[in-house]
Amino acid sequence: MQQYLDEVKTLLIDTLALGPAGQHLNEHSALLGSIPELDSMAVVQLIGALEEQFGFSVDDDEISASTFATLGSLAAFVQHKLTA
């Protein structure tokens, strides 16, 4: 999962324009509700970026707050999508 974690972290930093502050994020870093830049519009942008980067599509019913709870949960979602 580490490779997905690093790629998702980079994508998150770029999509939300977190800059150097984003480098401190790790697998256990809380996302939704903890990063002000991650609002509802940013979630939509991030999903689009994930779809483009990894070549899968995300259905509306696959999106939940738990998916965006931590960097680790988001990376696990990506891993699941790529191995399903």
Side-chain angles (χ1 to χ4, degrees):
M1 182 169 102
Q2 187 63 43
Q3 78 181 66
Y4 300 120
L5 192 67
D6 293 339
E7 284 187 74
V8 171
K9 177 180 173 178
T10 299
L11 197 63
L12 184 72
I13 291 168
D14 292 348
T15 302
L16 301 181
L18 297 177
Q23 294 302 322
H24 300 291
L25 295 173
N26 63 45
E27 180 179 357
H28 306 291
S29 296
L31 300 180
L32 209 57
S34 295
I35 299 178
E37 293 87 351
L38 190 59
D39 59 15
S40 58
M41 288 305 298
V43 167
V44 172
Q45 286 180 306
L46 185 56
I47 291 168
L50 290 169
E51 289 176 327
E52 187 175 319
Q53 173 81 20
F54 294 103
F56 57 68
S57 62
V58 179
D59 296 326
D60 290 344
D61 62 352
E62 292 180 293
I63 306 302
S64 68
S66 62
T67 302
F68 291 90
T70 65
L71 182 57
S73 65
L74 188 57
F77 173 77
V78 169
Q79 182 176 11
H80 170 75
K81 290 294 289 181
L82 292 173
T83 58

